[in-house]
Amino acid sequence: GVALPWQYFWQHAAMLHTAQSAAIASFYNKAFWSLPPELEFYALLPLLAALVRLAPAAARWFLGAVLAVALVVHGVLAYVSVSLTPESPWLLANVHLPGLLGEFLLGCVAWRLSRTGFLRAWGLWLLVPALVIWLSVAQLWVVLGDAGINAQPVLRGNVGYAAAAAYMLLVAVVARH
């Protein structure tokens, strides 16, 4: 049903469809927007793994520090982008690695947690906060919907982090058992 079906083909093929606007990013399929940030993270992951391997004793502090910086950068980008147009570079950075790095790093934290003795003793108890967070996020979407969440500066861009935190806890528990 698209008038010019090949209009943004090359942007999508080169994984640059999220570098211009939300309209181009979702031109073919709304879910395609997530592919470029995923590829960015997968390209960065070997470097992070190499750094962790160089100093295994400092690995948890390193991942924690990178995660903390990523969360601060996300917070700044989310705050700055509240009143901007969809084509703003600040808003576009929030849907790429600068803004989403923390969400991806939570997967690394899940892997790290699954290797600790803490999960042997307390792992199943992590299901409680995971389910509370997950059900809270689900309730937000039921009550507010995408439009309502995007209208709230505190929620916009942060609901994904809450969902990623719940998923991180679930993955860590499942990976351990």
Side-chain angles (χ1 to χ4, degrees), residues 15 18 35-45 95-98:
M15 293 294 165
T18 56
L35 295 175
E38 288 176 36
L39 289 176
E40 292 165 7
F41 180 71
Y42 299 144
L44 178 66
L45 194 56
V95 296
H96 281 274
L97 259 201

Side-chain angles (χ1 to χ4, degrees), residues 109-167:
V109 171
W111 169 81
R112 188 76 181 129
L113 273 176
S114 72
R115 306 281 185 274
T116 65
F118 173 78
L119 277 181
R120 277 186 222 106
W122 298 97
L124 291 177
W125 288 103
L126 290 180
L127 292 176
V128 173
L131 291 173
V132 167
I133 295 168
W134 182 75
L135 290 172
S136 299
V137 168
Q139 182 66 21
L140 276 173
W141 253 300
V142 167
V143 172
L144 300 175
D146 280 342
I149 288 171
N150 286 329
Q152 304 288 328
V154 173
L155 297 178
R156 186 172 135 193
N158 294 315
V159 173
Y161 268 87
Y167 190 65

Side-chain angles (χ1 to χ4, degrees), residues 1-170:
V2 176
L4 300 169
W6 296 99
Q7 185 174 3
Y8 300 116
F9 174 78
W10 293 111
Q11 287 94 327
H12 281 260
M15 293 294 165
L16 297 172
H17 55 283
T18 56
Q20 292 175 325
S21 75
I24 293 173
S26 62
F27 187 75
Y28 294 111
N29 183 330
K30 211 164 184 63
F32 283 0
W33 77 267
S34 67
L35 295 175
E38 288 176 36
L39 289 176
E40 292 165 7
F41 180 71
Y42 299 144
L44 178 66
L45 194 56
L47 174 64
L48 291 174
L51 291 172
V52 166
R53 188 170 291 202
L54 285 174
R60 76 174 144 205
W61 302 112
F62 172 73
L63 282 175
V66 172
L67 180 58
V69 168
L71 290 173
V72 168
V73 168
H74 167 74
V76 169
L77 287 171
Y79 177 77
V80 168
S81 67
V82 166
S83 61
L84 300 175
T85 65
E87 290 77 24
S88 168
W90 290 98
L91 186 59
L92 293 174
N94 210 18
V95 296
H96 281 274
L97 259 201
L100 293 179
L101 179 60
E103 284 188 43
F104 288 110
L105 284 175
L106 289 175
C108 295
V109 171
W111 169 81
R112 188 76 181 129
L113 273 176
S114 72
R115 306 281 185 274
T116 65
F118 173 78
L119 277 181
R120 277 186 222 106
W122 298 97
L124 291 177
W125 288 103
L126 290 180
L127 292 176
V128 173
L131 291 173
V132 167
I133 295 168
W134 182 75
L135 290 172
S136 299
V137 168
Q139 182 66 21
L140 276 173
W141 253 300
V142 167
V143 172
L144 300 175
D146 280 342
I149 288 171
N150 286 329
Q152 304 288 328
V154 173
L155 297 178
R156 186 172 135 193
N158 294 315
V159 173
Y161 268 87
Y167 190 65
M168 175 209 56
L169 294 170
L170 290 170

